[in-house]
Amino acid sequence: MEKLDGIAGWVVGLMETLGAPGAGLATAIENLAPPIPSELILPLAGFTASQGNMSLVAAIAWTTAGSVAGALVLYGLGALLGRDRTVALLARVPFVTAADIEKSEDWFARHGRKTVFFGRMIPVFRSLISIPAGVERMPIGVFTLLTALGSLIWNSVFVLAGYLLGENWEVVQRYSGWLTNGVIAVCAVAVAVFVAVRVRARMRARVR
């Protein structure tokens, strides 16, 4: 296997040492430190699985568990520290700004539980959406379920792509932006349809 440098080398080393739990640990860290992108970690998990260091199923299961674990940490921070102290703390993380957190809060305020599910497929947002969910004390069981489902879909796509591409796993990163934009478009359409249905239902109720 060709030697990898930087973050990629560290991630692969972690997975080679710990196996599938290493993939889960890397994914959990990614949730807590958005500058480390899942679009890098997940294809690498698939690539490492293709080298025989873990099974494909284990790679998907552990990365999803890591996503949930990282999200629960941020949920807990939001619930325990409150909005202002959590924002002040996370604003110190490189490449994370108060504006990013405020956007996540706005989305959560407008769309509630749907953002927890769909937000798992949008960079940076996937981590930060856990904060308003914790601040607003969203039922933790619902939060965990939606986080797990959204993460399972997203992680499976990227891990499987890395597994199938093998040594060419970096190709996934080149096209990850297209996939992200596609998810955002689907979310926007879903929200628009939801609003249209609700407005139509209210209009019918008024006519009656």
Side-chain angles (χ1 to χ4, degrees), residues 45-46 49-50 54-61 156 159-161 163-164:
S50 73
M54 68 181 96
S55 72
L56 178 61
V57 172
I60 293 174
S156 296
V159 171
L160 184 59
Y163 182 86
L164 295 175

Side-chain angles (χ1 to χ4, degrees), residues 27 31 42 59-72 75 113-121 126 129-130 133 138-157:
T27 308
N31 272 262
L42 297 175
I60 293 174
W62 275 96
T63 54
T64 300
S67 296
V68 173
L72 285 173
Y75 175 97
R113 297 179 178 181
K114 293 187 294 296
T115 59
V116 175
F117 174 78
F118 287 110
R120 298 300 156 194
M121 308 174 200
R126 71 169 61 92
I129 195 58
S130 301
M138 178 181 181
I140 193 167
V142 175
F143 173 81
T144 302
L145 176 61
L146 293 176
T147 297
L149 291 175
S151 298
L152 177 61
I153 295 172
W154 182 258
N155 293 0
S156 296
V157 169

